[in-house]
Amino acid sequence: MLDDFVAWLATTPGSIALHESLYMYAIVETIHVVAITLFVGTIAMIDLRVLGLALGRVPVSQVLRRLLPWTVLGFVILIITGALLFYAIPERTFHSLWFRAKMLLLVLAGINVWRFHRAYGLSPGDWDMGPAPARARFSAMASLALWIGVIFFGRFIAYNWFDCDKPQPAFISAVSACRNFTP
Amino acid sequence: MIKSPSRALAVLAAVAGLSFAGAAGQADAHHAFAAEFDGNAPVLLRGTVTKVQWINPHAWVHVAVPKAGGGTVVWMVEGGTPNTLLRSGLTRDSLKPGTAIIVRGYQSKDKACAPACKANGRDVTFTDGRRVFMGSSGTGAPKDGADPTERRP
């Protein structure tokens, strides 16, 4: 069903205009990459603060309050430009092993964000200045690893090593749902 | 951690140096030539255009190449971006289906040829003798003279 929707998406005029464009695709791609620096950059500073490696004399609540608005701005830009990049090349992207790995890590990273904020909100209270508890430090390390993983897999979508348009091992073919995609 | 401005500058300089070193090998290519194509497997394809996909970040020209014993093999030839091709002088009109062309390029690392053979296109020659560069500069493809920017001093 999702395969059919993605196949239909590829036939829409907007998708064709975007992937055939002389400038728009490159502009959207560039904005996406610049937004990554804002999004993951601010996240990294928060994580490093929680781990006690940066901004040591600034309360964690202050770091969160000052940096998170920029993280959210970066996220909004990433979602918009990311959706456009997917819209430009829907089928190949949807059936890309890299893209699927990226989405998996994205979900895990989201759960990690949700767990951190459910536990501490925007103010960790008793460890605002002191060393963070193990759970918070684990969350910070997981955050760094997962977001770097998201960038890594996102970058590799560009490479065709595991594309459905050539013979692939059964495992890759199954994970990418290649049988629902004839390039 | 970093405790003085001069140490911060030193770290910055080191990072900048490393990035330059990395960038020198990559230029501004979408992806490196060597990741997908074999510089030791040059191909010369003489055939007719069946389809062109004007797709960012790489266009694909489909060429039907007659086989010696009869029948044809379809080759998918990767080119630059639609913008790059336009600047080189390749348009939809110059690559209409049915157009006879000769493509010089390099085959993909996988020689599977299924469902179509794949190659990275370097240049395309038309029946009137016009030869046009169809790749991107700075991808790390072999310096075979196809890229006009490589000939400049």
Side-chain angles (χ1 to χ4, degrees):
Chain A
M1 197 192 79
L2 213 48
D3 307 274
D4 294 334
F5 170 72
V6 170
W8 169 80
L9 212 55
T11 64
T12 57
S15 174
I16 295 165
L18 205 49
H19 74 231
E20 290 190 349
S21 66
L22 293 180
Y23 295 98
M24 206 33 126
Y25 185 86
I27 291 170
V28 173
E29 203 175 29
T30 304
I31 296 173
H32 192 72
V33 171
V34 172
I36 291 174
T37 65
L38 182 63
F39 180 69
V40 179
T42 50
I43 286 176
M45 291 320 294
I46 293 168
D47 290 338
L48 291 174
R49 171 63 188 89
V50 172
L51 291 170
L53 294 173
L55 306 171
R57 282 143 87 182
V58 187
V60 173
S61 59
Q62 278 294 311
V63 175
L64 287 171
R65 216 153 276 159
R66 284 162 185 247
L67 289 185
L68 272 185
W70 296 102
T71 314
V72 171
L73 175 67
F75 187 71
V76 170
I77 299 171
L78 282 174
I79 290 296
I80 295 169
T81 51
L84 284 171
L85 289 173
F86 182 89
Y87 181 48
I89 307 171
E91 282 188 288
R92 178 182 176 264
T93 311
F94 183 68
H95 293 279
S96 154
L97 187 73
W98 300 116
F99 177 76
R100 289 178 177 221
K102 175 182 174 177
M103 289 301 114
L104 178 67
L105 290 196
L106 202 56
V107 170
L108 294 178
I111 292 171
N112 186 47
V113 169
W114 174 72
R115 279 171 56 87
F116 182 89
H117 288 292
R118 195 188 51 162
Y120 308 111
L122 286 177
S123 161
D126 51 342
W127 54 273
D128 211 8
M129 287 304 292
R135 194 186 151 179
R137 275 185 283 128
F138 174 80
S139 188
M141 278 188 282
S143 165
L144 284 171
L146 287 168
W147 289 118
I148 288 169
V150 168
I151 295 173
F152 182 89
F153 287 128
R155 178 63 186 93
F156 275 87
I157 296 171
Y159 292 82
N160 71 358
W161 304 323
F162 303 122
D163 273 15
C164 289
D165 66 351
K166 58 185 172 192
Q168 296 293 355
F171 168 75
I172 291 171
S173 204
V175 172
S176 312
C178 282
R179 70 192 164 88
N180 299 327
F181 176 37
T182 340
Chain B
M1 300 309 291
I2 297 158
K3 294 213 169 58
S4 70
S6 57
R7 269 185 76 185
L9 270 178
V11 171
L12 267 180
V15 171
L18 282 174
S19 340
F20 274 119
Q26 284 278 336
D28 60 348
H30 174 246
H31 53 210
F33 174 90
E36 291 175 8
F37 298 100
D38 182 352
N40 294 318
V43 290
L44 182 70
L45 307 169
R46 211 177 284 263
T48 53
V49 177
T50 57
K51 181 165 91 169
V52 181
Q53 296 171 283
W54 295 98
I55 298 181
N56 275 289
H58 296 283
W60 288 92
V61 182
H62 297 233
V63 188
V65 181
K67 277 195 290 195
T72 57
V73 186
V74 175
W75 280 78
M76 286 173 65
V77 184
E78 186 190 75
T81 68
N83 187 314
T84 312
L85 295 181
L86 185 73
R87 282 162 195 268
S88 305
L90 291 170
T91 64
R92 271 171 211 274
D93 285 338
S94 56
L95 286 170
K96 275 185 188 149
T99 309
I101 55 170
I102 299 168
V103 173
R104 287 197 307 161
Y106 298 91
Q107 191 168 4
S108 58
K109 279 183 155 176
D110 69 284
K111 310 285 193 294
C113 274
C117 297
K118 291 198 186 68
N120 179 274
R122 294 294 288 162
D123 56 25
V124 50
T125 310
F126 294 94
T127 46
D128 61 4
R130 196 166 64 102
R131 178 178 282 185
V132 185
F133 178 55
M134 68 172 288
S136 296
S137 299
T139 59
K143 295 199 187 307
D144 51 15
D147 181 354
T149 63
E150 281 171 4
R151 285 183 222 131
R152 278 184 213 137

